[in-house]
Amino acid sequence: MSAVRKIAHIDCDSFYASIEIRDNPSLAGLPIAVGGSPERRGVVATCNYLAREFGVRSAMASATARRICPGLVIIKPEMARYRAASAQITDIFRDYTDIIEPLSLDEAFLDLSSCRHHRGSASLIVSEIRARIAEEVNITVSAGIAPNKFLAKVASDWNKPDGQFVVEPLMIDSFVRQLPVRKLFGVGKVTAAKMEKLGVQSCGDLRDFDRDQLDSHFGSFGKRLYDLCRGVDDRAVQPTRIRKSISVENTFATDLPGLDACLAELPGLHEQLLERIEKLRDKYRISKQVVKIKFHDFISTTVETLSPTTELQKYRELLEEGYQRGLRPVRLLGIGARLSPVHEGMTESSEVKNSATPKNTASAPQLALFEER
Ligand code: DCP
Ligand code: MG
């Protein structure tokens, strides 16, 4: 194999439950589950870590959950907000790599091998991504970093919640040796039981079997098991989604006192934006121009307009409009563009980005478009 890859697996902590607590802070400190009602034979989709201490789990009947955790607050799922948060997180990922493979709304693989932020340190890049998600989406995520997908996924679970764990290339052998076989991709209850009968509990135990033996016990899966129990996994991160927006922004060391000072910052931001858009020129067309302003009291507003270009003059007009809403010093300015793919076939079907995103409202919580600098 060529150079060692840097793969991250990022998984939100108690995802639906975290969004519910974020949006209703009075729930903080209570055991909560998101799912169907106990009276209607509903099941738990997920629960917060406090509820987990009582034994509540995903896929458990809500009635059982309520019984083992009497104070449990059960909330009906509302997918639109989970989708919006997911899209917002994906947009943050896109500031670091385009090689993103979402596995569900709350988890994704990222190939960071070519990302040059933090001089290519995947640990620092992932720390920054996690900090941005905490700040911009207001939930925590856990992450694993490793030379391949299998190990990155195992690692993201290692320090959950709100943690991160790196499997360095030199650690792979010892790390995988002690892993229970259940942690292997594709090993469910049935296969694990079969392995147990063979005296196999850990990946180290599995290494005692040669290729032919694994083949005879596990058929076509045997070949993969041979590799996995040695920490080998050459699968590529397969990007399946497209970029929906691009932006640049700046938080100023000293607040900009008024509109003129803000306008004076626009050409510099505009130049950075054009540079970034240039790289996407063949794949995307521009559908909107957007300006984001965060005032000194952290109240944010965005203003956007339909537009096929990234004209500086239009950004000026949007900035003037946004500034009028606050009329006070500004700590952050951002400009960006919403994008559509040039080729229709590129559009990924299932994702409705930011469907719950309020537009042009002060302190809109879902500002998916922007990146901190
Ligand atoms: N989910 C579901 N039904 C399940 C499992 C999960 O509806 N049986 C939903 C709810 C979860 C989301 O998918 O919030 C993500 O699943 P995870 O397995 O990642 O679980 P959580 O994110 O909730 O918790 P964790 O902190 O363990 O990742
Ligand atoms: Mg999760």
Side-chain angles (χ1 to χ4, degrees), residues 205-246:
D205 299 337
L206 204 53
R207 290 185 200 171
D208 294 338
F209 294 74
D210 66 21
R211 288 177 188 277
D212 287 344
Q213 288 169 318
L214 288 176
D215 186 68
S216 71
H217 289 299
F218 303 101
S220 57
F221 188 42
K223 183 175 162 349
R224 194 141 164 69
L225 281 174
Y226 185 89
D227 285 342
L228 287 178
C229 70
R230 289 168 175 78
V232 174
D233 177 15
D234 289 339
R235 291 170 309 156
V237 176
Q238 289 183 321
T240 52
R241 294 200 201 177
I242 53 158
R243 184 153 197 139
K244 306 271 176 57
S245 62
I246 187 161

Side-chain angles (χ1 to χ4, degrees), residues 11-15 49 52 106-107 160:
D11 187 303
C12 303
D13 303 321
S14 56
F15 182 49
Y49 280 74
R52 290 180 202 195
D106 100 316
E107 61 178 311
K160 218 177 203 325

Side-chain angles (χ1 to χ4, degrees), residues 59-304:
M60 178 180 272
S62 299
T64 310
R66 179 58 67 63
R67 196 176 65 243
I68 61 175
C69 180
L72 187 68
V73 181
I74 302 179
I75 299 161
K76 211 172 94 199
E78 237 183 65
M79 295 306 294
R81 280 179 297 125
Y82 315 148
R83 270 192 220 109
S86 178
Q88 203 180 352
I89 290 169
T90 305
D91 270 353
I92 292 173
F93 294 160
R94 287 199 189 288
D95 287 331
Y96 302 86
T97 178
D98 281 327
I99 311 175
I100 302 165
E101 180 179 337
L103 298 180
S104 68
L105 281 184
D106 100 316
E107 61 178 311
F109 285 115
L110 279 59
D111 189 330
L112 297 170
S113 310
S114 305
C115 178
R116 285 185 298 277
H117 290 58
H118 297 288
R119 297 183 181 176
S121 158
S123 303
L124 294 179
I125 295 165
V126 168
S127 296
E128 181 174 312
I129 291 175
R130 292 179 48 241
R132 281 189 58 194
I133 293 171
E135 152 110 19
E136 297 172 33
V137 191
N138 280 302
I139 60 167
T140 63
V141 302
S142 298
I145 302 157
N148 64 49
K149 285 163 80 167
F150 155 48
L151 294 171
K153 178 141 172 133
V154 173
S156 71
D157 224 25
W158 221 246
N159 281 331
K160 218 177 203 325
D162 198 15
Q164 111 181 25
F165 186 75
V166 188
V167 181
E168 304 279 0
L170 286 174
M171 289 164 56
I172 294 178
D173 186 62
S174 58
F175 181 76
V176 180
R177 188 180 292 278
Q178 45 79 40
L179 265 191
V181 283
R182 245 169 219 281
K183 295 274 184 187
L184 297 175
F185 267 139
V187 175
K189 274 190 191 145
V190 176
T191 315
K194 195 167 168 183
M195 288 181 178
E196 192 146 334
K197 275 197 190 141
L198 293 168
V200 172
Q201 309 245 335
S202 69
C203 288
D205 299 337
L206 204 53
R207 290 185 200 171
D208 294 338
F209 294 74
D210 66 21
R211 288 177 188 277
D212 287 344
Q213 288 169 318
L214 288 176
D215 186 68
S216 71
H217 289 299
F218 303 101
S220 57
F221 188 42
K223 183 175 162 349
R224 194 141 164 69
L225 281 174
Y226 185 89
D227 285 342
L228 287 178
C229 70
R230 289 168 175 78
V232 174
D233 177 15
D234 289 339
R235 291 170 309 156
V237 176
Q238 289 183 321
T240 52
R241 294 200 201 177
I242 53 158
R243 184 153 197 139
K244 306 271 176 57
S245 62
I246 187 161
S247 66
V248 293
E249 69 177 38
N250 206 348
T251 302
F252 301 98
T254 319
D255 293 340
L256 303 173
L259 181 59
D260 285 346
C262 292
L263 287 169
E265 293 295 333
L266 267 190
L269 282 170
H270 190 241
E271 200 171 305
Q272 284 174 38
L273 180 69
L274 294 188
E275 208 172 286
R276 296 193 61 194
I277 285 182
E278 177 61 23
K279 294 182 198 143
L280 303 173
R281 200 168 42 116
D282 298 339
K283 295 190 201 139
Y284 297 92
R285 59 188 169 72
I286 289 154
S287 58
K288 281 183 176 178
Q289 285 181 247
V290 189
V291 165
K292 171 184 166 188
I293 303 169
K294 195 187 267 182
F295 294 102
H296 71 106
D297 50 6
F298 286 85
I299 300 288
S300 293
T301 188
T302 57
V303 199
E304 55 184 70

Side-chain angles (χ1 to χ4, degrees), residues 9-28:
H9 177 259
I10 299 185
D11 187 303
C12 303
D13 303 321
S14 56
F15 182 49
Y16 297 0
S18 301
I19 298 290
E20 294 302 335
I21 294 167
R22 176 195 77 177
D23 294 347
N24 181 1
S26 70
L27 296 172

